[in-house]
């Protein structure tokens, strides 16, 4: 058996179409234009690409998009002042501070200043707490994208055994809580887990987010399971080139899984569009409107 | 084999002795007296007993203890005003609003007003978020008590398989996150979990918090496992009397487990003293002192 591929790009395109429609409606009915502000500190080439893609996507949806670029040598006080100014700017509904930050700037200090209502990456303690409390408004983008893929691919996950490998605040922990809220029985595994292969084999939904290329082998996959591969690892390829691979050994796993996300083009393809979804939700909430169900 | 009993009262007494010592030190060295304020709304007899025990324990430790009793008919605004006044009172370091509240008062509204720095039940979104972020200052009392019992009974839990049945904000979710932070591999089960017996049998640490008398049977327990029974259920007994039982069928489980908490006198015996620990930690933090490692 060969698994059905979960086409992240196609699902992202569907969500994008819904967001364009909803953005037009908010503008027509309420004169509201969702505004996304991005903040980049320094000149990391990968971060520059990410931020540019976010601004471009925002504009394609009809959002207002503003970008702030600070020097690599910017002080923490400068970054905090900028975040405070964006907190106070009524035309900005989502603030995205691109991580990682240069080492003189404490990530935590930035998150402690950022207005939770505009925290579209959902990294502030308040948004983490609302998620744990079952009252989440803004949810971390890649886990939210994963839940959309699961819903549109396998439907309800209630009662299924889900395994999340990796426990970051950006992905693993919110992913586990979202799966739990959807009534899956969730196991949280990590680098200290014993006999991970055996733990994997009991999972109906296997989610890998550990940043180790092809770490999860095919025979760890329960036959028919749904595999969500969150890893994006660049590894050497033939003729001195490189290629991207996930945390799952795709060629092996595709023979056992029922559904599997490719890398690239899987769950990663949902992240930016889910950021836009958060920005639209934040804009509606800040304007006191009903939160659109997109 | 018969399991070793985990004597919650003995562990609570040890913690109490440490807290008395630390309270005396804070007073002698810094003139700081930890202050606990309890708020009871209405006349529920069980709640009256709980609150009285909290005040008595606080006084026994050398804390300042104040109690506020509002009528069953108190408005939400009255409760919120009282919480705001306690937030502002520098002699109060911990605020305990006894739940459940009469139905005209929204629990959530109270928690949204309560100062997270004085939230000794750790129910505000901020404290939930700090827990999820791995930066917890104040942790929900019964899960914190569970971790102390585990540490003092079986030592490190890293790499062990832990199962938490129940997903409340007061116990199940923080218990799962604390076990995960201690490097256990944690599964979160609940009413929608399929084949719970089988899921239980893989647990080295089995934690039941579901409020169903003797629901977890002896043959669900992995031989040698540590069983933490968080349930306290009153059931009919012989001669028209009643008795307290846990969520685990104790007489059966004690024959299979390696360690087990009795009910009563198990993990429940740790709750009030952990509330005092939180109050002492809050007092030190609010005074800008190093947080005591008690």
């Amino acid at each position: 058996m060969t698994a059905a591929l979960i086409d992240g790009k196609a699902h992202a395109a569907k969500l994008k179409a819904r967001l364009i429609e909803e953005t037009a409606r908010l503008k027509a009915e309420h004169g509201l234009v969702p505004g996304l502000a991005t903040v980049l500190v320094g000149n990391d080439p990968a971060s520059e690409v990410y931020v540019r893609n976010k601004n471009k996507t925002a504009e394609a949806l009809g959002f207002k998009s503003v970008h702030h670029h600070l020097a690599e040598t910017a002080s923490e006080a400068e970054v905090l002042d900028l975040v405070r100014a964006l907190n106070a700017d009524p035309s900005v509904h989502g603030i995205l501070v691109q991580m990682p930050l240069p080492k003189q700037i404490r990530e935590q200090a930035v998150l402690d200043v950022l207005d939770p209502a505009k925290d579209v990456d959902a990294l502030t303690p308040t948004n983490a707490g609302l998620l744990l409390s079952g009252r989440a408004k803004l949810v971390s983008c890649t886990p939210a994208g994963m839940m959309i893929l699961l819903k549109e691919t396998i439907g309800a996950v209630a009662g299924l055994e889900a395994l999340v490998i990796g426990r970051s605040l950006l992905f693993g922990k919110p992913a586990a809580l979202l799966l739990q809220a959807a009534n899956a029985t969730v196991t949280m595994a990590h680098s200290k887990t014993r006999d991970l292969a055996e733990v994997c084999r009991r999972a109906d939904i296997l989610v890998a987010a550990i940043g180790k290329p092809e770490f999860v082998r095919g025979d760890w996959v329960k036959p028919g399971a749904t595999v969500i591969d969150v890893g994006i690892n660049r590894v050497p390829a033939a003729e001195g080139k490189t290629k991207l691979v996930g945390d799952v050994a795709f060629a092996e796993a595709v023979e056992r899984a029922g559904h599997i996300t490719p890398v690239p083009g899987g769950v990663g393809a949902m992240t930016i569009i889910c950021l836009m979804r958060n920005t639209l939700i934040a804009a509606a909430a800040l304007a006191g409107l009903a939160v659109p169900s997109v």
Side-chain angles (χ1 to χ4, degrees), chain A residues 88 118 188 257 276:
Chain A
K118 299 187 176 185
M188 306 183 288
M276 302 304 143

Side-chain angles (χ1 to χ4, degrees), chain A residues 51-284:
Chain A
V51 169
R52 198 179 311 129
N53 284 339
K54 290 168 187 174
N55 291 111
K56 271 169 60 182
T57 307
E59 282 154 24
L61 294 176
F63 289 9
K64 182 189 157 200
S65 166
V66 291
H67 177 56
H68 296 268
H69 194 162
L70 302 184
E72 181 77 30
T73 54
S75 69
E76 184 176 286
E78 282 175 78
V79 177
L80 296 183
D81 281 347
L82 174 58
V83 171
R84 285 194 194 95
L86 295 170
N87 283 346
D89 183 341
S91 75
V92 170
H93 308 104
I95 303 170
L96 186 287
V97 181
Q98 184 67 41
M99 307 289 178
L101 291 163
K103 59 182 176 307
Q104 74 274 18
I105 301 159
R106 291 167 303 155
E107 212 168 278
Q108 215 50 74
V110 174
L111 295 177
D112 284 346
V113 162
L114 184 62
D115 181 352
K118 299 187 176 185
D119 168 28
V120 283
D121 251 352
L123 286 173
T124 59
T126 300
N127 283 321
L130 290 171
L131 176 65
L132 190 63
S133 310
R135 301 193 288 144
K137 292 170 187 160
L138 298 172
V139 176
S140 186
C141 302
T142 309
M146 172 193 78
M147 292 307 292
I148 293 173
L149 292 183
L150 288 173
K151 189 177 172 193
E152 297 186 351
T153 305
I154 62 168
V157 303
L160 296 183
E161 283 244 18
L163 173 71
V164 178
I165 318 173
R167 50 180 165 173
S168 69
L169 184 58
L170 195 57
F171 184 82
K173 288 180 186 178
L177 288 171
L178 290 173
L179 285 162
Q180 187 204 50
N183 290 322
T185 299
V186 183
T187 298
M188 306 183 288
H190 44 75
S191 57
K192 299 292 190 296
T193 293
R194 290 181 195 160
D195 204 357
L196 183 59
E198 210 41 64
V199 172
C200 285
R201 283 185 198 111
R202 61 195 199 205
D204 303 304
I205 299 169
L206 174 57
V207 183
I210 42 180
K212 293 185 182 175
E214 301 185 321
F215 185 76
V216 174
R217 308 311 308 185
D219 67 348
W220 300 13
V221 176
K222 179 177 175 175
T226 301
V227 176
I228 305 285
D229 189 349
V230 187
I232 302 181
N233 311 287
R234 188 166 288 284
V235 296
E239 299 173 18
K241 296 185 176 169
T242 63
K243 62 174 180 173
L244 292 177
V245 299
D247 291 345
V248 178
F250 182 84
E252 298 171 13
V254 74
E255 298 298 325
R256 304 249 298 182
H259 294 84
I260 190 168
T261 56
V263 173
V267 68
M270 296 295 289
T271 302
I272 286 187
I273 200 70
C274 285
L275 179 71
M276 302 304 143
R277 180 171 172 258
N278 272 349
T279 304
L280 188 135
I281 288 171

